[in-house]
Amino acid sequence: MSSASGGSTARRHAIVGIGQSRLGEVGDVTAIGLMTEAILNAAEDAGIDKGEIDGLVTRGPDDIYCHHQEVGKALGINARFSTTLDNGGASQCLAVAMACMAIDAGMCDVVVCGYGRDQWSRTRERRGSRQGSMRRNVENALQSREFGPEYGYFGAIATHALGARRHMHMYGTTKEQLGEVAVAFRDHANRTPWAQMHGRPLSAADYLGGKPVVDPFNRFDCSLRSDAAGAVIVMSEERAKHYRQRPVHIAGWGTANNHRGWFYDDHMVSTPARDSGARAFEMAGIRPSDIDVAQLYDCFTYMVLTQLEDYGFCAKGEGGPFAASGALRLGGALPCNTSGGQLSEAHAEGMLQILEAVRQLRHTEDPMRQVADAEFALVSGHGGNTVCHSSLILQAAS
Amino acid sequence: MTYLKPLPVGASSLSRSFWQYCKAHELRVQRCSRCGHHWFPPQTICPDCWSREWEWQLVSGRGRIFSFVVYRHVYHPAFSDDLPYCVGVIELEEGARMLSAITSPVDAIRCDAPVHVDFADVTDDVSLPLFTLTAVT
């Protein structure tokens, strides 16, 4: 534990409410519908009225233009401050930071940060038709139109698998070590009643027997296709005192980008988590060893290993052995993705990891899934064509 | 036989130039006239020094595999007969990195292995710069 310090913005804001939608194979929903479901749940959790919300930072599927405007319309709120970020999976942690900055600038007082998608429903819609499958895979908004498809290069799985392969080559990382990430998070999902993979155990042998997709990844290295949404309510510490939940403090944040690209330099094995994390730790005035629970962006197993290194929980190249030691398990040295992450809880572009961090810091969970006496949580966001990163450090209410 | 795989889009005059050179079996990447930096994919300015002066440099075609993946699942039906197939990031001798297909048997492919360009004339108008393992003698 270390004394609070950091920049002028540290510990001046709090999260007072969290809410999620139904998760997983929900069906018959829209992304906006799920988003509003999560936001209403967050407002109820906080004990907050519609009329108090004056800021929105929301996001959803890339083909929804001006997502925040669609959310404002559905909520019936003419928000004073409203925007959609465009950092891929790094948007959600950055959204909370943006909320704090907007509040500090006097632009708004009560901000909803949220993300929601209907990916499971969309996939099911198209599964019947071969044309539909092609469209899904080939015309993905993220898919580059040239210098890729000509060679058969499609999908975020392949992009991240390139990084995993390079890491395996440089540091001797093994499939078994990647598998420990999947197995640990599946265990956590099995302690989380609402998780999409709850009730579906995964052993190390199960992992190794997984259907190959793009080597070195099999299906268990890949995050879920989900209908899922999550939202949090952010306000100043001063205002937060008046609401029903013990506020979780926003102790620090950071962001960084490797815009030169995933193929450039050592970017595949050394991500902007390093600089983003360093900024967050500095703002919060703490060290990696002060983190009691981590929620790391797990689009793929490999990204967890490299983030463990880049955040300084272990040396570069040692993420595999660190995971294999059991450190990521509840009860281990660094319990990680304690609701199952995007690999096993549901994929809402990292938003549910913010919710789970808040849950852990409220100390409200069943002992089988609660990190005892958790004081500091780290949440990470990765994405935007693999080059964007953001970090949040949250602190339990005192 | 109709070619069913995605063809180069030629989204800009820059990328069209790249593909025209490929049709002539010349692998060329942009080289900055001011600072000598090589970059790919094509763009209008040098990302190192912002110079707008550059040239299409004929490169040796030799490089090493920086990383690679092997597809074992069909993403695009036109590639289903190719499974398993390899796509990799090749670091060219001159420094730029380029993604392409690696046509050697997938089980032989390794990071850092030397490769060289091997153009494939897939249509009357299009040749793709594919890569293959260089035999070490």
Side-chain angles (χ1 to χ4, degrees), chain A residues 130 134 137-138 145-147 149-154 157-158 161-162 165-166 169 211-215 260 263-265, chain B residues 6 9-11 15 19 37 42 48 66-73 75-77 79 85 87 97 99-100 111-112 129:
Chain A
R130 182 171 227 209
M134 250 177 71
N137 288 321
V138 176
R145 291 194 301 143
E146 58 179 354
F147 307 121
E150 305 91 327
Y151 310 113
Y153 179 64
F154 305 104
I157 297 177
L162 283 166
R165 172 81 68 194
R166 186 69 191 171
H169 172 73
K211 178 178 182 295
V213 182
V214 184
D215 285 350
R260 292 295 299 253
F263 295 175
Y264 184 81
D265 196 13
Chain B
V9 169
S15 61
W19 292 114
H37 180 60
D48 266 12
F66 183 73
S67 189
F68 68 96
V69 294
V70 178
Y71 279 78
R72 298 189 186 271
H73 170 81
Y75 274 76
H76 188 295
F79 289 87
Y85 68 86
V87 176
R97 290 187 187 153
L99 182 127
S100 187
C111 289
D112 291 349

Short mmCIF file of all heavy atoms in Angstrom, two decimals, chain A residues 130 134 137-138 145-147 149-154 157-158 161-162 165-166 169 211-215 260 263-265, chain B residues 6 9-11 15 19 37 42 48 66-73 75-77 79 85 87 97 99-100 111-112 129:
data_model
loop_
_atom_site.label_atom_id
_atom_site.label_comp_id
_atom_site.label_asym_id
_atom_site.label_seq_id
_atom_site.Cartn_x
_atom_site.Cartn_y
_atom_site.Cartn_z
N ARG A 130 -24.50 -18.84 -46.75
CA ARG A 130 -23.07 -18.80 -47.06
C ARG A 130 -22.68 -17.38 -47.42
O ARG A 130 -21.63 -16.90 -47.05
CB ARG A 130 -22.80 -19.74 -48.22
CG ARG A 130 -21.34 -19.81 -48.59
CD ARG A 130 -21.09 -20.90 -49.57
NE ARG A 130 -19.94 -21.68 -49.16
CZ ARG A 130 -19.14 -22.29 -49.99
NH1 ARG A 130 -19.38 -22.27 -51.27
NH2 ARG A 130 -18.11 -22.98 -49.56
N MET A 134 -19.80 -14.98 -45.60
CA MET A 134 -18.75 -14.26 -46.32
C MET A 134 -18.80 -12.79 -45.97
O MET A 134 -17.80 -12.17 -45.71
CB MET A 134 -18.97 -14.40 -47.83
CG MET A 134 -17.97 -15.25 -48.53
SD MET A 134 -18.37 -15.43 -50.26
CE MET A 134 -18.00 -13.80 -50.87
N ASN A 137 -17.40 -12.11 -42.54
CA ASN A 137 -15.96 -12.23 -42.37
C ASN A 137 -15.19 -11.25 -43.23
O ASN A 137 -14.15 -10.76 -42.85
CB ASN A 137 -15.50 -13.66 -42.71
CG ASN A 137 -15.92 -14.63 -41.63
OD1 ASN A 137 -15.87 -14.30 -40.46
ND2 ASN A 137 -16.34 -15.81 -42.01
N VAL A 138 -15.71 -11.02 -44.42
CA VAL A 138 -14.91 -10.26 -45.37
C VAL A 138 -15.20 -8.77 -45.32
O VAL A 138 -14.32 -7.97 -45.50
CB VAL A 138 -15.14 -10.80 -46.81
CG1 VAL A 138 -14.41 -9.96 -47.82
CG2 VAL A 138 -14.72 -12.25 -46.89
N ARG A 145 -9.24 -3.37 -46.89
CA ARG A 145 -9.73 -3.78 -48.19
C ARG A 145 -8.64 -4.28 -49.11
O ARG A 145 -8.93 -4.97 -50.08
CB ARG A 145 -10.47 -2.62 -48.85
CG ARG A 145 -11.79 -2.27 -48.16
CD ARG A 145 -12.63 -1.35 -49.04
NE ARG A 145 -11.93 -0.12 -49.35
CZ ARG A 145 -12.00 0.50 -50.52
NH1 ARG A 145 -12.73 -0.01 -51.50
NH2 ARG A 145 -11.35 1.62 -50.72
N GLU A 146 -7.41 -3.84 -48.89
CA GLU A 146 -6.34 -4.34 -49.76
C GLU A 146 -5.10 -4.65 -48.94
O GLU A 146 -5.01 -4.32 -47.79
CB GLU A 146 -6.05 -3.34 -50.88
CG GLU A 146 -5.66 -1.94 -50.44
CD GLU A 146 -5.38 -1.03 -51.63
OE1 GLU A 146 -5.37 -1.51 -52.79
OE2 GLU A 146 -5.16 0.17 -51.41
N PHE A 147 -4.16 -5.31 -49.60
CA PHE A 147 -2.93 -5.80 -48.98
C PHE A 147 -3.23 -6.77 -47.84
O PHE A 147 -2.55 -6.77 -46.82
CB PHE A 147 -2.05 -4.64 -48.48
CG PHE A 147 -1.77 -3.61 -49.55
CD1 PHE A 147 -2.14 -2.30 -49.37
CD2 PHE A 147 -1.15 -3.98 -50.73
CE1 PHE A 147 -1.90 -1.35 -50.36
CE2 PHE A 147 -0.90 -3.04 -51.73
CZ PHE A 147 -1.28 -1.73 -51.54
N PRO A 149 -6.71 -9.24 -48.00
CA PRO A 149 -7.65 -10.22 -48.55
C PRO A 149 -7.10 -10.96 -49.78
O PRO A 149 -7.43 -12.13 -49.98
CB PRO A 149 -8.86 -9.36 -48.94
CG PRO A 149 -8.79 -8.16 -48.07
CD PRO A 149 -7.33 -7.91 -47.86
N GLU A 150 -6.25 -10.29 -50.54
CA GLU A 150 -5.69 -10.95 -51.74
C GLU A 150 -4.95 -12.22 -51.37
O GLU A 150 -4.84 -13.15 -52.17
CB GLU A 150 -4.72 -10.01 -52.48
CG GLU A 150 -5.30 -8.66 -52.88
CD GLU A 150 -5.06 -7.60 -51.79
OE1 GLU A 150 -5.05 -7.96 -50.60
OE2 GLU A 150 -4.90 -6.41 -52.15
N TYR A 151 -4.38 -12.24 -50.16
CA TYR A 151 -3.55 -13.35 -49.71
C TYR A 151 -4.30 -14.31 -48.80
O TYR A 151 -3.73 -15.25 -48.27
CB TYR A 151 -2.31 -12.82 -48.96
CG TYR A 151 -1.58 -11.74 -49.72
CD1 TYR A 151 -1.55 -10.43 -49.26
CD2 TYR A 151 -0.92 -12.04 -50.91
CE1 TYR A 151 -0.90 -9.43 -49.98
CE2 TYR A 151 -0.27 -11.04 -51.63
CZ TYR A 151 -0.25 -9.75 -51.16
OH TYR A 151 0.40 -8.77 -51.87
N GLY A 152 -5.59 -14.02 -48.58
CA GLY A 152 -6.35 -14.85 -47.66
C GLY A 152 -6.26 -14.40 -46.21
O GLY A 152 -6.58 -15.16 -45.30
N TYR A 153 -5.84 -13.17 -45.99
CA TYR A 153 -5.68 -12.63 -44.63
C TYR A 153 -6.97 -11.98 -44.20
O TYR A 153 -7.38 -10.95 -44.75
CB TYR A 153 -4.54 -11.61 -44.63
CG TYR A 153 -4.25 -10.95 -43.29
CD1 TYR A 153 -3.79 -11.69 -42.20
CD2 TYR A 153 -4.39 -9.57 -43.13
CE1 TYR A 153 -3.50 -11.07 -40.99
CE2 TYR A 153 -4.10 -8.95 -41.93
CZ TYR A 153 -3.65 -9.70 -40.87
OH TYR A 153 -3.35 -9.08 -39.67
N PHE A 154 -7.64 -12.58 -43.25
CA PHE A 154 -8.91 -12.06 -42.75
C PHE A 154 -8.92 -12.19 -41.23
O PHE A 154 -8.47 -13.18 -40.69
CB PHE A 154 -10.09 -12.86 -43.30
CG PHE A 154 -10.14 -12.95 -44.79
CD1 PHE A 154 -9.76 -14.10 -45.44
CD2 PHE A 154 -10.57 -11.86 -45.54
CE1 PHE A 154 -9.81 -14.18 -46.82
CE2 PHE A 154 -10.61 -11.93 -46.92
CZ PHE A 154 -10.23 -13.10 -47.57
N ILE A 157 -8.49 -12.43 -35.43
CA ILE A 157 -7.83 -13.61 -34.86
C ILE A 157 -6.44 -13.74 -35.45
O ILE A 157 -5.45 -13.93 -34.73
CB ILE A 157 -8.66 -14.88 -35.11
CG1 ILE A 157 -10.02 -14.78 -34.42
CG2 ILE A 157 -7.89 -16.13 -34.63
CD1 ILE A 157 -10.94 -15.96 -34.69
N ALA A 158 -6.34 -13.63 -36.77
CA ALA A 158 -5.04 -13.79 -37.44
C ALA A 158 -4.07 -12.69 -37.01
O ALA A 158 -2.88 -12.96 -36.79
CB ALA A 158 -5.23 -13.76 -38.95
N ALA A 161 -2.88 -13.59 -33.65
CA ALA A 161 -2.10 -14.83 -33.72
C ALA A 161 -0.69 -14.56 -34.22
O ALA A 161 0.27 -15.24 -33.81
CB ALA A 161 -2.81 -15.85 -34.61
N LEU A 162 -0.54 -13.57 -35.10
CA LEU A 162 0.81 -13.17 -35.54
C LEU A 162 1.63 -12.73 -34.34
O LEU A 162 2.83 -13.04 -34.24
CB LEU A 162 0.72 -12.02 -36.56
CG LEU A 162 0.32 -12.40 -37.99
CD1 LEU A 162 -0.06 -11.14 -38.77
CD2 LEU A 162 1.45 -13.13 -38.70
N ARG A 165 2.58 -15.81 -32.19
CA ARG A 165 3.65 -16.58 -32.81
C ARG A 165 5.00 -15.93 -32.60
O ARG A 165 5.99 -16.60 -32.30
CB ARG A 165 3.40 -16.72 -34.32
CG ARG A 165 4.58 -17.35 -35.07
CD ARG A 165 4.58 -18.83 -34.97
NE ARG A 165 3.45 -19.35 -35.69
CZ ARG A 165 3.00 -20.60 -35.59
NH1 ARG A 165 3.60 -21.45 -34.79
NH2 ARG A 165 1.97 -21.00 -36.29
N ARG A 166 5.06 -14.62 -32.77
CA ARG A 166 6.33 -13.91 -32.59
C ARG A 166 6.80 -14.03 -31.14
O ARG A 166 7.98 -14.24 -30.86
CB ARG A 166 6.16 -12.44 -32.98
CG ARG A 166 7.46 -11.65 -32.96
CD ARG A 166 8.42 -12.06 -34.05
NE ARG A 166 9.74 -11.48 -33.85
CZ ARG A 166 10.81 -11.79 -34.54
NH1 ARG A 166 10.74 -12.69 -35.51
NH2 ARG A 166 11.97 -11.21 -34.28
N HIS A 169 8.16 -17.41 -30.52
CA HIS A 169 9.49 -17.54 -31.14
C HIS A 169 10.55 -16.82 -30.30
O HIS A 169 11.64 -17.36 -30.08
CB HIS A 169 9.44 -16.96 -32.54
CG HIS A 169 10.79 -16.86 -33.20
ND1 HIS A 169 11.49 -17.95 -33.66
CD2 HIS A 169 11.56 -15.77 -33.46
CE1 HIS A 169 12.63 -17.54 -34.18
NE2 HIS A 169 12.71 -16.24 -34.06
N LYS A 211 -10.64 -26.88 -31.35
CA LYS A 211 -10.62 -26.84 -32.81
C LYS A 211 -9.69 -25.73 -33.29
O LYS A 211 -9.87 -24.58 -32.93
CB LYS A 211 -12.05 -26.59 -33.31
CG LYS A 211 -12.23 -26.47 -34.81
CD LYS A 211 -13.73 -26.28 -35.12
CE LYS A 211 -14.04 -26.21 -36.60
NZ LYS A 211 -13.47 -25.04 -37.30
N PRO A 212 -8.68 -26.06 -34.12
CA PRO A 212 -7.77 -25.03 -34.62
C PRO A 212 -8.52 -24.02 -35.48
O PRO A 212 -9.44 -24.40 -36.23
CB PRO A 212 -6.77 -25.81 -35.47
CG PRO A 212 -6.96 -27.24 -35.15
CD PRO A 212 -8.36 -27.39 -34.66
N VAL A 213 -8.17 -22.78 -35.36
CA VAL A 213 -8.79 -21.74 -36.18
C VAL A 213 -7.72 -21.12 -37.08
O VAL A 213 -7.68 -21.38 -38.27
CB VAL A 213 -9.47 -20.67 -35.30
CG1 VAL A 213 -10.16 -19.63 -36.16
CG2 VAL A 213 -10.46 -21.30 -34.34
N VAL A 214 -6.84 -20.30 -36.47
CA VAL A 214 -5.69 -19.76 -37.17
C VAL A 214 -4.50 -20.00 -36.26
O VAL A 214 -4.41 -19.36 -35.22
CB VAL A 214 -5.84 -18.25 -37.49
CG1 VAL A 214 -4.66 -17.76 -38.30
CG2 VAL A 214 -7.15 -17.97 -38.21
N ASP A 215 -3.64 -20.94 -36.60
CA ASP A 215 -2.49 -21.27 -35.77
C ASP A 215 -1.66 -20.04 -35.48
O ASP A 215 -1.36 -19.28 -36.40
CB ASP A 215 -1.56 -22.26 -36.48
CG ASP A 215 -2.11 -23.66 -36.49
OD1 ASP A 215 -3.11 -23.94 -35.79
OD2 ASP A 215 -1.53 -24.49 -37.21
N ARG A 260 2.25 3.51 -35.23
CA ARG A 260 3.08 3.08 -36.38
C ARG A 260 2.65 1.70 -36.86
O ARG A 260 3.03 1.29 -37.94
CB ARG A 260 4.56 3.09 -36.01
CG ARG A 260 5.18 4.46 -35.74
CD ARG A 260 5.26 5.42 -36.91
NE ARG A 260 6.05 4.97 -38.02
CZ ARG A 260 7.25 5.45 -38.34
NH1 ARG A 260 7.85 6.34 -37.58
NH2 ARG A 260 7.87 5.00 -39.42
N PHE A 263 2.65 -4.22 -37.17
CA PHE A 263 3.78 -4.89 -37.83
C PHE A 263 5.11 -4.16 -37.57
O PHE A 263 6.17 -4.66 -37.95
CB PHE A 263 3.58 -4.93 -39.35
CG PHE A 263 2.42 -5.77 -39.81
CD1 PHE A 263 2.09 -5.78 -41.16
CD2 PHE A 263 1.67 -6.53 -38.93
CE1 PHE A 263 1.01 -6.55 -41.62
CE2 PHE A 263 0.59 -7.29 -39.38
CZ PHE A 263 0.27 -7.30 -40.73
N TYR A 264 5.05 -2.99 -36.99
CA TYR A 264 6.22 -2.12 -36.89
C TYR A 264 7.03 -2.43 -35.65
O TYR A 264 6.48 -2.68 -34.57
CB TYR A 264 5.73 -0.66 -36.85
CG TYR A 264 6.79 0.39 -36.85
CD1 TYR A 264 7.41 0.78 -38.03
CD2 TYR A 264 7.17 1.01 -35.66
CE1 TYR A 264 8.39 1.77 -38.03
CE2 TYR A 264 8.14 1.99 -35.65
CZ TYR A 264 8.75 2.37 -36.84
OH TYR A 264 9.71 3.34 -36.83
N ASP A 265 8.33 -2.44 -35.81
CA ASP A 265 9.25 -2.55 -34.67
C ASP A 265 8.88 -3.77 -33.82
O ASP A 265 8.63 -4.85 -34.37
CB ASP A 265 9.19 -1.24 -33.87
CG ASP A 265 10.38 -1.10 -32.92
OD1 ASP A 265 11.35 -1.88 -33.04
OD2 ASP A 265 10.34 -0.22 -32.04
N PRO B 6 -10.24 -12.53 -53.69
CA PRO B 6 -10.22 -11.07 -53.76
C PRO B 6 -9.04 -10.57 -54.59
O PRO B 6 -7.92 -11.05 -54.44
CB PRO B 6 -10.07 -10.64 -52.30
CG PRO B 6 -10.58 -11.79 -51.51
CD PRO B 6 -10.25 -13.02 -52.31
N VAL B 9 -7.61 -3.99 -54.86
CA VAL B 9 -8.66 -2.98 -54.98
C VAL B 9 -8.18 -1.77 -55.77
O VAL B 9 -8.95 -1.15 -56.47
CB VAL B 9 -9.13 -2.59 -53.57
CG1 VAL B 9 -10.02 -1.36 -53.60
CG2 VAL B 9 -9.86 -3.75 -52.93
N GLY B 10 -6.90 -1.43 -55.63
CA GLY B 10 -6.39 -0.23 -56.30
C GLY B 10 -7.10 1.01 -55.82
O GLY B 10 -7.61 1.81 -56.60
N ALA B 11 -7.18 1.16 -54.50
CA ALA B 11 -7.98 2.23 -53.91
C ALA B 11 -7.40 3.61 -54.19
O ALA B 11 -8.10 4.60 -54.10
CB ALA B 11 -8.10 2.02 -52.41
N SER B 15 -1.54 2.77 -54.66
CA SER B 15 -1.61 1.31 -54.63
C SER B 15 -1.67 0.77 -56.06
O SER B 15 -1.12 -0.29 -56.34
CB SER B 15 -2.77 0.82 -53.77
OG SER B 15 -4.00 1.25 -54.25
N TRP B 19 0.72 -2.24 -57.73
CA TRP B 19 0.24 -3.44 -58.43
C TRP B 19 0.71 -3.48 -59.89
O TRP B 19 0.93 -4.55 -60.45
CB TRP B 19 -1.28 -3.53 -58.33
CG TRP B 19 -1.76 -3.79 -56.93
CD1 TRP B 19 -2.49 -2.96 -56.14
CD2 TRP B 19 -1.50 -4.96 -56.14
NE1 TRP B 19 -2.71 -3.53 -54.91
CE2 TRP B 19 -2.11 -4.76 -54.88
CE3 TRP B 19 -0.81 -6.16 -56.37
CZ2 TRP B 19 -2.06 -5.72 -53.86
CZ3 TRP B 19 -0.76 -7.11 -55.35
CH2 TRP B 19 -1.38 -6.88 -54.11
N HIS B 37 14.15 6.26 -45.51
CA HIS B 37 13.27 5.28 -44.88
C HIS B 37 12.44 4.55 -45.95
O HIS B 37 11.98 5.17 -46.91
CB HIS B 37 12.36 6.00 -43.89
CG HIS B 37 11.41 5.11 -43.16
ND1 HIS B 37 11.83 4.06 -42.37
CD2 HIS B 37 10.06 5.10 -43.11
CE1 HIS B 37 10.76 3.46 -41.87
NE2 HIS B 37 9.68 4.07 -42.29
N PRO B 42 1.63 1.50 -49.13
CA PRO B 42 1.88 2.81 -49.72
C PRO B 42 1.10 3.93 -49.03
O PRO B 42 -0.05 3.75 -48.62
CB PRO B 42 1.40 2.65 -51.17
CG PRO B 42 1.37 1.19 -51.42
CD PRO B 42 1.06 0.56 -50.11
N ASP B 48 8.45 8.81 -41.35
CA ASP B 48 9.55 9.18 -40.45
C ASP B 48 9.80 10.69 -40.45
O ASP B 48 9.91 11.29 -39.39
CB ASP B 48 10.84 8.45 -40.88
CG ASP B 48 11.05 7.14 -40.12
OD1 ASP B 48 10.11 6.69 -39.44
OD2 ASP B 48 12.14 6.57 -40.22
N PHE B 66 9.04 -12.52 -40.31
CA PHE B 66 8.99 -11.91 -38.98
C PHE B 66 7.99 -12.68 -38.11
O PHE B 66 8.25 -12.97 -36.95
CB PHE B 66 8.60 -10.44 -39.09
CG PHE B 66 8.59 -9.74 -37.76
CD1 PHE B 66 9.79 -9.44 -37.13
CD2 PHE B 66 7.41 -9.40 -37.13
CE1 PHE B 66 9.80 -8.80 -35.89
CE2 PHE B 66 7.41 -8.76 -35.90
CZ PHE B 66 8.61 -8.47 -35.27
N SER B 67 6.85 -13.01 -38.70
CA SER B 67 5.89 -13.88 -38.03
C SER B 67 4.95 -14.46 -39.07
O SER B 67 4.93 -13.99 -40.21
CB SER B 67 5.09 -13.12 -36.96
OG SER B 67 4.31 -14.03 -36.18
N PHE B 68 4.18 -15.48 -38.70
CA PHE B 68 3.27 -16.10 -39.65
C PHE B 68 2.15 -16.80 -38.89
O PHE B 68 2.27 -17.10 -37.70
CB PHE B 68 4.02 -17.11 -40.53
CG PHE B 68 4.51 -18.32 -39.78
CD1 PHE B 68 3.76 -19.50 -39.75
CD2 PHE B 68 5.71 -18.29 -39.08
CE1 PHE B 68 4.21 -20.62 -39.04
CE2 PHE B 68 6.16 -19.39 -38.37
CZ PHE B 68 5.41 -20.57 -38.36
N VAL B 69 1.06 -17.02 -39.60
CA VAL B 69 -0.06 -17.79 -39.06
C VAL B 69 -0.48 -18.81 -40.10
O VAL B 69 -0.16 -18.65 -41.28
CB VAL B 69 -1.26 -16.88 -38.69
CG1 VAL B 69 -0.91 -15.96 -37.54
CG2 VAL B 69 -1.77 -16.09 -39.89
N VAL B 70 -1.17 -19.83 -39.67
CA VAL B 70 -1.67 -20.85 -40.58
C VAL B 70 -3.18 -20.95 -40.42
O VAL B 70 -3.69 -21.26 -39.34
CB VAL B 70 -1.02 -22.22 -40.31
CG1 VAL B 70 -1.59 -23.28 -41.25
CG2 VAL B 70 0.49 -22.13 -40.48
N TYR B 71 -3.88 -20.66 -41.50
CA TYR B 71 -5.34 -20.75 -41.48
C TYR B 71 -5.75 -22.21 -41.59
O TYR B 71 -5.33 -22.92 -42.52
CB TYR B 71 -5.93 -19.96 -42.66
CG TYR B 71 -6.03 -18.48 -42.41
CD1 TYR B 71 -4.91 -17.66 -42.50
CD2 TYR B 71 -7.25 -17.90 -42.07
CE1 TYR B 71 -5.01 -16.30 -42.25
CE2 TYR B 71 -7.35 -16.54 -41.82
CZ TYR B 71 -6.23 -15.75 -41.91
OH TYR B 71 -6.33 -14.40 -41.67
N ARG B 72 -6.61 -22.64 -40.67
CA ARG B 72 -7.15 -24.00 -40.73
C ARG B 72 -8.68 -23.97 -40.77
O ARG B 72 -9.34 -25.00 -40.68
CB ARG B 72 -6.67 -24.82 -39.53
CG ARG B 72 -5.14 -24.96 -39.54
CD ARG B 72 -4.61 -25.94 -38.50
NE ARG B 72 -3.16 -25.90 -38.49
CZ ARG B 72 -2.39 -26.67 -39.27
NH1 ARG B 72 -2.93 -27.51 -40.12
NH2 ARG B 72 -1.06 -26.57 -39.19
N HIS B 73 -9.20 -22.76 -40.92
CA HIS B 73 -10.65 -22.55 -40.93
C HIS B 73 -10.95 -21.62 -42.09
O HIS B 73 -10.19 -20.68 -42.35
CB HIS B 73 -11.06 -21.92 -39.60
CG HIS B 73 -12.47 -21.44 -39.54
ND1 HIS B 73 -13.54 -22.28 -39.30
CD2 HIS B 73 -13.00 -20.21 -39.71
CE1 HIS B 73 -14.65 -21.58 -39.31
NE2 HIS B 73 -14.36 -20.33 -39.55
N TYR B 75 -12.35 -18.69 -44.07
CA TYR B 75 -12.92 -17.36 -43.91
C TYR B 75 -13.59 -16.90 -45.20
O TYR B 75 -14.56 -16.18 -45.19
CB TYR B 75 -11.82 -16.36 -43.52
CG TYR B 75 -11.57 -16.32 -42.04
CD1 TYR B 75 -10.86 -17.35 -41.40
CD2 TYR B 75 -12.06 -15.29 -41.26
CE1 TYR B 75 -10.65 -17.32 -40.05
CE2 TYR B 75 -11.83 -15.25 -39.89
CZ TYR B 75 -11.14 -16.27 -39.30
OH TYR B 75 -10.93 -16.24 -37.93
N HIS B 76 -12.99 -17.27 -46.30
CA HIS B 76 -13.52 -16.88 -47.61
C HIS B 76 -13.57 -18.16 -48.45
O HIS B 76 -12.56 -18.83 -48.58
CB HIS B 76 -12.59 -15.85 -48.24
CG HIS B 76 -13.10 -15.23 -49.50
ND1 HIS B 76 -13.30 -15.95 -50.66
CD2 HIS B 76 -13.44 -13.95 -49.78
CE1 HIS B 76 -13.77 -15.13 -51.59
NE2 HIS B 76 -13.86 -13.92 -51.09
N PRO B 77 -14.73 -18.47 -49.01
CA PRO B 77 -14.88 -19.77 -49.70
C PRO B 77 -13.85 -20.02 -50.79
O PRO B 77 -13.48 -21.16 -51.04
CB PRO B 77 -16.30 -19.70 -50.29
CG PRO B 77 -16.94 -18.50 -49.75
CD PRO B 77 -15.96 -17.67 -49.01
N PHE B 79 -10.87 -19.71 -50.71
CA PHE B 79 -9.62 -20.23 -50.15
C PHE B 79 -9.81 -21.62 -49.53
O PHE B 79 -8.87 -22.18 -48.98
CB PHE B 79 -9.07 -19.28 -49.08
CG PHE B 79 -8.52 -17.99 -49.63
CD1 PHE B 79 -9.35 -16.91 -49.84
CD2 PHE B 79 -7.18 -17.88 -49.95
CE1 PHE B 79 -8.85 -15.71 -50.37
CE2 PHE B 79 -6.66 -16.69 -50.47
CZ PHE B 79 -7.51 -15.61 -50.69
N TYR B 85 -3.40 -22.92 -45.11
CA TYR B 85 -2.52 -22.01 -45.84
C TYR B 85 -1.90 -20.98 -44.90
O TYR B 85 -2.45 -20.70 -43.84
CB TYR B 85 -3.25 -21.33 -47.01
CG TYR B 85 -4.34 -20.34 -46.64
CD1 TYR B 85 -4.03 -19.00 -46.37
CD2 TYR B 85 -5.68 -20.73 -46.58
CE1 TYR B 85 -5.03 -18.09 -46.05
CE2 TYR B 85 -6.68 -19.83 -46.27
CZ TYR B 85 -6.35 -18.51 -46.01
OH TYR B 85 -7.34 -17.61 -45.69
N VAL B 87 -0.14 -17.23 -44.02
CA VAL B 87 0.04 -15.80 -44.28
C VAL B 87 1.08 -15.30 -43.29
O VAL B 87 1.04 -15.69 -42.11
CB VAL B 87 -1.28 -15.04 -44.12
CG1 VAL B 87 -1.06 -13.55 -44.30
CG2 VAL B 87 -2.33 -15.54 -45.11
N ARG B 97 8.34 -3.95 -43.77
CA ARG B 97 7.65 -5.21 -43.51
C ARG B 97 6.37 -5.25 -44.33
O ARG B 97 5.66 -4.26 -44.42
CB ARG B 97 7.34 -5.37 -42.02
CG ARG B 97 8.58 -5.61 -41.19
CD ARG B 97 8.27 -5.93 -39.75
NE ARG B 97 9.49 -5.98 -38.97
CZ ARG B 97 9.57 -5.72 -37.67
NH1 ARG B 97 8.46 -5.42 -37.01
NH2 ARG B 97 10.73 -5.79 -37.05
N LEU B 99 2.96 -7.87 -45.55
CA LEU B 99 2.20 -9.08 -45.36
C LEU B 99 1.99 -9.77 -46.69
O LEU B 99 1.73 -9.10 -47.70
CB LEU B 99 0.85 -8.75 -44.72
CG LEU B 99 -0.02 -9.97 -44.41
CD1 LEU B 99 -0.47 -9.95 -42.96
CD2 LEU B 99 -1.22 -10.00 -45.33
N SER B 100 2.10 -11.09 -46.71
CA SER B 100 1.81 -11.82 -47.93
C SER B 100 1.56 -13.28 -47.60
O SER B 100 1.70 -13.69 -46.44
CB SER B 100 2.97 -11.70 -48.92
OG SER B 100 2.62 -12.29 -50.16
N CYS B 111 9.65 -18.75 -38.00
CA CYS B 111 10.06 -17.34 -37.84
C CYS B 111 11.54 -17.21 -38.13
O CYS B 111 12.33 -18.10 -37.80
CB CYS B 111 9.78 -16.86 -36.43
SG CYS B 111 8.04 -16.63 -36.04
N ASP B 112 11.92 -16.10 -38.72
CA ASP B 112 13.29 -15.74 -39.08
C ASP B 112 13.83 -16.53 -40.27
O ASP B 112 14.97 -16.29 -40.70
CB ASP B 112 14.27 -15.88 -37.90
CG ASP B 112 14.02 -14.82 -36.81
OD1 ASP B 112 13.23 -13.88 -37.06
OD2 ASP B 112 14.60 -14.94 -35.72
N PRO B 129 2.64 -10.67 -55.27
CA PRO B 129 3.99 -10.93 -54.76
C PRO B 129 3.94 -11.91 -53.59
O PRO B 129 3.90 -11.49 -52.43
CB PRO B 129 4.47 -9.55 -54.32
CG PRO B 129 3.22 -8.85 -53.90
CD PRO B 129 2.10 -9.40 -54.76
#
